[in-house]
Amino acid sequence: MIDFQTDPTRYRHWKLSFDGPVATLTMDVDPAGGLMDGYELKLNSYDLGVDIELADAVQRLRFEHPEVKAVVLRSGKQGVFCAGANIRMLGAASHGHKVNFCKFTNETRMSIEDASEHSGQCYIAAIAGSAAGGGYELAVTADHIMLIDDRRSSVSLPELPLLAVLPGTGGLTRLTDKRRVRRDRADIFCTAQEGVRGKRAVEWRLVDEIVPPSAWEAKVTERALELAGRSHRDGVKGIALTPLRRTIADNAVSYPYVQAALDRAARSVTITIQGPLDLPGDLRGIHDSGALFWPLAVARELDDLLLHLRLNEPSIGLLVFRSVGDPGSVVAADGLLEQYQGDWLVREIRLLLKRVFKRVDMMARSLITLIDPGSCFAGSLAELVFAADRAVMFAGTATGDNRGPATLHLSALNFSAFPMGNGLSRLANRFYGEPESLDAAARLIGETLDAETAERHGLVTFAYDDVDWDDEVRLILEERASFSPDALTGLEANLRFVGPETMETRIFGRLTAWQNWIFQRPNAVGEAGSLKRYGSGVRPDFNTERV
Amino acid sequence: MIDFQTDPTRYRHWKLSFDGPVATLTMDVDPAGGLMDGYELKLNSYDLGVDIELADAVQRLRFEHPEVKAVVLRSGKQGVFCAGANIRMLGAASHGHKVNFCKFTNETRMSIEDASEHSGQCYIAAIAGSAAGGGYELAVTADHIMLIDDRRSSVSLPELPLLAVLPGTGGLTRLTDKRRVRRDRADIFCTAQEGVRGKRAVEWRLVDEIVPPSAWEAKVTERALELAGRSHRDGVKGIALTPLRRTIADNAVSYPYVQAALDRAARSVTITIQGPLDLPGDLRGIHDSGALFWPLAVARELDDLLLHLRLNEPSIGLLVFRSVGDPGSVVAADGLLEQYQGDWLVREIRLLLKRVFKRVDMMARSLITLIDPGSCFAGSLAELVFAADRAVMFAGTATGDNRGPATLHLSALNFSAFPMGNGLSRLANRFYGEPESLDAAARLIGETLDAETAERHGLVTFAYDDVDWDDEVRLILEERASFSPDALTGLEANLRFVGPETMETRIFGRLTAWQNWIFQRPNAVGEAGSLKRYGSGVRPDFNTERV
């Protein structure tokens, strides 16, 4: 089992240090600390385990260190910044592991950019040594890239010539879209194993500045303080991201607010979210609750569960979301998130919820949400209705159930707080062709919506009454389980994202899809392919046909 | 060899008929007319051969029939509009053939939308019978979709449940982006083998109207005349797209203005474009020249060559573009295209050039352009410089060559006439991060640019003089040939298109990349996969893991 929970006391590969508004995140990978056997993490190369620690560090910097306004990313090893993803790991890993490894590393890099853009916690990459492949891709997430000008240190994306795969952790897209490197220069850069250094690296916009070795440390500090000085970040005292309370059994994963029940025969998992049981009354209360504040707790628990399912439960193809609780309490929680949105912690919680819902969008699993009596799909929780491939609502009351009919509730957060990767709210994405329906939905904020109203306004796919519910739901789930998992993944990766694309969706849509294709091709993964033959001294044997 | 040249006298699958401003394009596929053995094209299903005729018909309608303002797409068979791509063909075809088949059919469907948007030649799909899979995808290219309401006729995208692949000829993307079908409805539609008919088809925006059988013919005519009446198309007398003069030898393909020399050992082809030898003096002269007018002749010849290379020469991984001729004549040809852009024929020629250059962008081959003494990369021809992955220019004069130094010339057409699929001109795409460089380039229109100037302005990748030229060019070509063809395809599919995405690039980037991935997966193409087992009565055996 791969566990995504960690904390700084357990890090094997990263060190965090603090100096007033500047934190330093030092990569110093333990070669013997690989997640699996069979490879050594030499030269600050990484595997999923290294990235899990990085993701944790980035998260903790946001929640536990409001005083940190700039983060310096650097290496603890001489002569190397980071050698990228470990090649022997890639060569040995299954297709599914490679794909999920890339997805998670991409998400982690997005979270760095999110911290910079929305939390005023900016990153500087201070490259002394070589930053190769995923090492350079990591640096490119920073706001400012510094390269020591020592005639040896360089940046490179050698994946194509070395491994016959793409710089797939956003590298290609960030080159063109973020760094705005001219395409023919990008072409040269991505085919030159040795990389680029010195003045050309600046001229080609691969780095922002080069610094002579004598001025290096002073300049890094100067830049960090400069960036910190421009930050709007204003928190004082962080909250602790306390360990999740989680139990994992054969067919269940349980947290205080999130319960997952696996049905292996049906290849599905039912994820039930429990609404808030109590809520603080004001901002002080939110800070005092810390990691126990319901929106934050739910976000962390759900996030952990999603990652667990991705890596540890590949045969579970269908996520069924349910909820239980008082919709009024969810609305009240949303009210707190709305009322105190100017506060740094509330902002972080909203941003985390946004990222977790994006993780839902990026699940290569089918998503079905069931809204039935006793459920509390309201406001932020209703994002799971709009993220779903289909949402089905129970109409009327169920026999022998005195909880009354199922209801759905919209809050202002559904329209603004949780944009998808394509920049649209899930409702705007849903009503891409119907602006009038989006407007109509906005007028329903605060209303209690029954199934008939929700269906009429296009907020759910179908409503079924007591007579039909069981059969219809069963049919949907059975039908879904009968389809090809790959075809569903491709279908969902297209239908979930309409219209506009952003750097983020271009990475996950265009770049990742091509990389996944390449990860299936014999030229990369066959017995005579690059990944298998790397380091053997024998050149790969390519099929020369273009397709 | 697959030949992309045809004409209506040779069509086996389509019939064209004319009635004033309305043409009818009737699909009546000859089951015995498959391009390859081993399958029958039943129920108006199609293979590449059927689509080659369709592409030809769409092209001829534009050039040969300026009087046609609306085209009705319909079926010549009872009870079926079109059953989509032939499944047994897909099951038997190589991966490369499937990918190229999808690419060409996608391009053909784009050309229909281009005719409607830019030539005022609008399409109506008149569906009587079932329009399934690619059949519905074809219909969705039309401006207006009519479905007969006879309780049997339906539209459907059954690829996923039936074949475990995607509706990959633009289907998914056109559903969300063009038809703006709500995503959960699109999900249901794409998983429901039986499709949708009647009122629901209208309510879900899958078709624009349903028509009772009794009113069918009258309503189709009425709608066609209505659309024709709104057209700005104003030509009177068309020109004939006369047969291309082409000779194909073992290692060469020759046309009057385009010469291709294949070097199989180097896996490259050198494509040399000959500049204009003579040009008409005015609009009348352009019309009189017809298909012999240089820009039109070059466009048709290059287009045919590109398609030939895609399907018949898969091991040629590198296209090297050269040109020979008088740059002044190319500038003069551009001048005619600019001066008479209001004329319907000139507009069609510009639009064809645009589509051919897009076909270049979509080549899954590396593109290198060499600008050397005697070349004529000016204006429209310079698009091949900006389309290339790298462009290299000869600096100074070559020993024993009295033609003087190589030059590059920009015309207004480079900034406006030939947008890429992402909506940007190739220069805007090149200078995505440098608007000031784009402005500077615009100020160079009409200038004669030497290598030093072209390089300084970022218009070429590198300039080499007589001393270095041969070695540097050889190194580029040899290095390129040494890389994995698949990895290059993925790299180029990313780097060639920066920033904005459109429905078109979303189809070719996101949808196609996922489809290509699925086309590699055992669940679709393995011995127990859907495509192999289709029609055998044995259900496919899926690996249930999600990746």
Side-chain angles (χ1 to χ4, degrees), chain B residues 205-253:
Chain B
R205 279 203 285 271
L206 299 166
V207 307
D208 293 292
E209 62 177 328
I210 49 173
V211 180
S214 58
W216 180 245
E217 289 301 333
K219 195 57 104 179
V220 169
T221 305
E222 182 190 325
R223 286 285 178 264
L225 289 170
E226 221 176 281
L227 250 77
R230 290 205 296 266
S231 168
H232 59 74
R233 196 166 164 85
D234 61 356
V236 176
K237 191 168 166 295
I239 62 148
L241 293 179
T242 49
L244 292 182
R245 285 177 291 153
R246 177 186 67 185
T247 58
I248 301 183
D250 266 6
N251 293 315
V253 186

Side-chain angles (χ1 to χ4, degrees), chain A residues 373-503:
Chain A
S375 67
C376 59
F377 285 111
S380 49
L381 221 46
E383 289 297 302
L384 295 175
V385 175
F386 311 131
D389 300 307
R390 303 189 196 175
V392 188
M393 190 159 178
F394 197 104
T397 51
T399 314
D401 186 332
N402 66 357
R403 291 173 300 179
T407 57
L408 180 69
H409 308 252
L410 302 180
S411 84
L413 297 186
N414 298 118
F415 295 82
S416 60
F418 313 120
M420 300 172 61
N422 62 9
L424 304 177
S425 71
R426 277 174 197 77
L427 279 172
N429 186 72
R430 182 176 186 80
F431 295 127
Y432 185 57
E434 314 173 14
E436 67 288 357
S437 298
L438 185 62
D439 294 344
R443 288 192 294 270
L444 299 176
I445 292 175
E447 306 273 321
T448 296
L449 310 174
D450 62 15
E452 193 270 325
T453 311
E455 189 184 26
R456 182 158 40 82
H457 281 86
L459 296 167
V460 298
T461 311
F462 287 125
Y464 297 115
D465 65 15
D466 201 14
V467 177
D468 293 326
W469 176 264
D470 285 350
D471 278 348
E472 293 290 347
V473 168
R474 185 177 50 76
L475 280 174
I476 292 173
L477 306 187
E478 283 179 6
E479 186 197 61
R480 206 74 179 182
S482 74
F483 296 141
S484 159
D486 308 315
L488 285 173
T489 294
L491 179 85
E492 292 153 6
N494 280 276
L495 292 185
R496 285 181 190 165
F497 303 89
V498 305
E501 301 262 359
T502 63
M503 187 177 80

Side-chain angles (χ1 to χ4, degrees), chain A residues 184 430 461 493 501 506 510, chain B residues 184 461 493 501 506 510:
Chain A
D184 51 349
R430 182 176 186 80
T461 311
E501 301 262 359
R506 275 164 54 80
R510 185 182 274 267
Chain B
D184 51 349
T461 311
E501 301 262 1
R506 275 163 53 79
R510 186 182 272 268

Side-chain angles (χ1 to χ4, degrees), chain A residues 146 148 211-222:
Chain A
M146 309 175 72
I148 196 166
V211 180
S214 58
W216 180 244
E217 289 302 332
K219 194 56 103 178
V220 169
T221 305
E222 181 190 327

Side-chain angles (χ1 to χ4, degrees), chain B residues 482-530:
Chain B
S482 74
F483 295 141
S484 160
D486 308 315
L488 285 173
T489 294
L491 180 84
E492 293 154 5
N494 280 276
L495 292 185
R496 286 182 191 164
F497 303 89
V498 305
E501 301 262 1
T502 62
M503 187 178 79
E504 182 171 334
T505 62
R506 275 163 53 79
I507 289 174
F508 286 116
R510 186 182 272 268
L511 175 55
T512 299
W514 283 108
Q515 178 79 309
N516 291 358
W517 176 72
I518 289 165
F519 275 161
Q520 286 278 294
R521 300 285 291 162
N523 284 344
V525 298
E527 283 310 313
S530 282

